[in-house]
Amino acid sequence: MAAPETDPAPPATRRHGAALEAAILDAGWDELAEIGYARLTMGSIAKRARTSEPVLYRRWANKDELVLAVLDRYRATHPVAVPDTGDLRDDLIHYLTALGDSLAGFFAIAAAAAFSGLLAATGLSPADIRAQAMGDQLLPQTRTIYRQAAARGELDPEGIPPAVLALPFDLVRHDLLMDLEPPGAERVRSIVDEMFLPLVRAHRTS
């Protein structure tokens, strides 16, 4: 009896545009996490992405530009949801905890890249790398977590200095960069209860 005919395997899909760029950046993240910045090359990323080096060079001038784009993509594709518990304190504690848990591994890899040569190669400072890792932030008073609190009448973001509103997030980013692990529950509560909220109450009273 003749063997039944089978359909031939479909040809490989040729990727273009955004799909190709996403595949390259995802491959770049995997390379960065697996072998580190120092050993990573345009060739190793191209091989993992199953494309060619010229394709990469048409988009990024060198591996440093590509690594910065990799960090941007990872951050953009791993957002942390903003809770709405009905209380600013609880919102902050939940959000800062989730932020630390979500970004700890990312910060470890970004910091390793920075101190393995990315700083020297790009001329960026540690603060620049931190900003690159976190992305462009809106003005502190426009953060969703504060707009929610303002709608509930808990605070007036326009009446509180931006440095105060930025404080909880700056401290968590600092801890992530220095410790390369999420801040513990006690640390998060301290940031909110002992540092941030007293400053908010002081400005509300004044």
Side-chain angles (χ1 to χ4, degrees):
M1 180 182 297
E5 292 186 3
T6 58
D7 294 331
T13 303
R14 189 175 179 85
R15 297 161 300 173
H16 298 279
L20 175 58
E21 186 164 311
I24 293 169
L25 294 175
D26 288 343
W29 173 260
D30 291 340
E31 282 290 285
L32 195 60
E34 218 172 273
I35 66 175
Y37 171 85
R39 294 173 56 199
L40 173 151
T41 66
M42 296 291 266
S44 70
I45 295 175
K47 182 177 180 180
R48 185 182 284 264
R50 292 182 291 112
T51 187
S52 65
E53 287 188 56
V55 170
L56 272 62
Y57 281 109
R58 284 199 290 271
R59 291 165 170 78
W60 303 279
N62 51 52
K63 84 167 188 176
D64 305 313
E65 286 189 8
L66 178 50
V67 166
L68 293 177
V70 164
L71 296 179
D72 277 342
R73 173 170 168 78
Y74 186 90
R75 175 187 44 77
T77 55
H78 292 75
V80 178
V82 178
D84 188 359
T85 66
D87 178 76
L88 175 59
R89 176 185 181 272
D90 289 343
D91 283 353
L92 277 170
I93 288 175
H94 285 300
Y95 183 72
L96 295 176
T97 299
L99 190 68
D101 291 341
S102 173
L103 293 180
F106 175 58
F107 260 72
I109 291 172
F115 294 109
S116 293
L118 186 60
L119 289 178
T122 60
L124 298 175
S125 69
D128 294 328
I129 292 294
R130 187 185 76 166
Q132 186 79 27
M134 294 303 294
D136 295 329
Q137 298 293 344
L138 299 173
L139 293 173
Q141 58 266 36
T142 66
R143 282 184 175 274
T144 300
I145 208 162
Y146 294 138
R147 287 192 285 105
Q148 292 173 172
R152 296 191 295 260
E154 290 184 90
L155 84 170
D156 174 13
E158 299 298 331
I160 300 172
V164 173
L165 296 176
L167 178 68
F169 307 95
D170 286 344
L171 288 175
V172 168
R173 287 198 295 267
H174 172 273
D175 287 2
L176 285 169
L177 191 58
M178 294 296 102
D179 300 333
L180 303 181
E181 61 181 28
E186 184 176 345
R187 169 65 171 168
V188 171
R189 285 194 296 270
S190 175
I191 289 172
V192 175
D193 291 338
E194 298 174 9
M195 303 179 206
F196 176 70
L197 290 179
L199 289 172
V200 169
R201 286 192 288 267
H203 283 282
R204 183 186 300 156
T205 301
S206 64

